[in-house]
Amino acid sequence: MLRQASRLLARRPILAARTRAFSTDLSAADQTADAAFADAWNKVIPNMDPPKTPLSFMQPRPPTPSSIPSKLTVNFVLPYASELATKEIDMVIVPATTGQMGVLPGHVATIAELKPGVLSVHEGNEVTKYFVSSGFVFIHANSFADIIAVEAVPLDRLDANLVQKGLAEFTSKLSSATTDLEKAETQIGVDVHSALNSALTG
Amino acid sequence: MAMAALRREGRRFAPLISPRPITAVRSSPIAPTYEDEGPIGVRYISTQVVRNRMKSVKNIQKITKAMKMVAASKLRAVQTKTENSRGLWQPFTALLGDLPSVDVKKSVVVTISSDKGLCGGINSTAVKISKGIRKLNSGPEKETKYVVLGEKAKAQLIRDSKKDIELIITELQKNPLNYTQVSVLADEILKNVEFDALRIVFNKFQSVVSFLPTVSTVLSPEIVEREAESGGKLGDLDNYEIEGGETKGEILQNLVEFQFSCVMFNAVLENACSEQGARMSAMDSSSRNAGDMLDRLTLTYNRTRQASITTELIEIISGASALEG
């Protein structure tokens, strides 16, 4: 109820205190949720300060512009590093479960799951390719793309021999697998290795 | 306390009530010294007790200084990992927002704490916040369960909320923290615990001296759908096209599980960082206190020593003048 009321009020978003590499949108609705939580907390536990929530550690993201921007801003994150942080590029091709998907500025807002495959980032004339194990990609209406992958390596770090060996190993394991769990695990191994194979050759 | 010291030393003690020139020193609370009667009636004051105490305080100071150095080096190692992992949860919050005050029936509080002690107050704050969240979510038909990571929170929560604890996980940091370990952990939690909303309570590492207790909320797919339909922050979720998968529910399920493991990974790393930082500052203040105590003891020791020298001189001189006169 509070959230609906605040949307009508359209308050200006307040910038978060900490500056970060990313910029996200702390809209009016987010502010009220934070305030509602803080109020509820203070009523029940008056002696302690309320804990912080993730919203206070993020920067607001720009709202959807009226015209299509010229560049796509991409955040490519892994558990161990942020490969690309708010980098402005022309296009990115992601290996979604439905196939290779090209993302250009002004792409419709999408949530897509990734399968093992090659991710390529196109900036001007440069193309950087990564092999991605799996993850998610969120494309927002304001031409921001978030790619979250579990593991990503540049293609030149892959060893073709090991890929072949792994593929052979998992294929043989798949044919000898008995339980459903084993079958699922070996199937995943086969999928990943054949994707690696096609990435190296294709 | 002086009597106990005497008894420990196994020496005779002179009655402390008789006034002697060294009464001033004896009344010092830190350094109980005492007199003894020597074989030819020479009185001397023993500084043994003070010396022992000084030695132990100096050892404590060395130990705490070493612990601070160890914590500093561990902090350096974890800090880079933590800062690199900070980008991981931001896309999820950008997409799904953060609704800490969402109204759910079953909420599960995941409290992250350390296994080892001597790290200041961070574990107590985490437990206090968890209990606060539980109180916040109390009401008819609502229940809150705990999942505890770390020995310290386990010790505190078992005392009064034993029946509400679903899972206890300890020895998290035996091997260096990595995403695989945390995702296995997240899998276990998701398999065994029913939840509408998961609230992860941890200490976020802001700087070496500042740790902010934080709560991250992860909603189950059903609640995400419910909130999306009812409008508000998640209302925009319907505008997103879903690529792949047969149903939106399937993708949401995977999304929620992935979000949980990413948020857990960041939370565990931040907590580890906060633990090392808190330990550094605790050990630092402890070595500073030990240094102050050592200074005070040194002054007392010197006063006692000089007093005994003065007493000896007085006795010798008065003895000599008695012989002459």
Side-chain angles (χ1 to χ4, degrees), chain A residues 115-118 131 163 167 190-200:
Chain A
K115 67 167 195 252
V118 176
F131 183 82
V163 169
L167 184 61
V190 168
D191 284 342
V192 174
H193 280 86
S194 35
L196 276 167
N197 211 4
S198 54
L200 284 173

Side-chain angles (χ1 to χ4, degrees), chain A residues 59-78:
Chain A
Q59 270 190 341
R61 280 209 176 160
T64 312
S66 44
S67 64
I68 297 177
S70 57
K71 293 269 198 191
L72 183 70
T73 321
V74 85
N75 297 326
F76 180 26
V77 286
L78 304 170

Side-chain angles (χ1 to χ4, degrees), chain B residues 252-306:
Chain B
L252 270 182
Q253 175 83 17
N254 288 343
L255 188 65
V256 161
E257 296 187 354
F258 193 39
Q259 179 187 14
F260 181 48
S261 75
C262 289
V263 173
M264 274 291 280
F265 182 60
N266 184 56
V268 168
L269 278 177
E270 299 266 0
N271 206 54
C273 244
S274 306
E275 178 199 337
Q276 299 300 341
R279 188 166 295 134
M280 253 181 82
S281 61
M283 291 296 106
D284 182 48
S285 59
S286 162
S287 15
R288 211 171 313 124
N289 282 343
D292 288 343
M293 210 187 269
L294 203 56
D295 288 340
R296 280 202 309 268
L297 283 173
T298 312
L299 287 174
T300 316
Y301 174 71
N302 283 332
R303 272 207 305 272
T304 323
R305 192 179 46 88
Q306 288 159 356

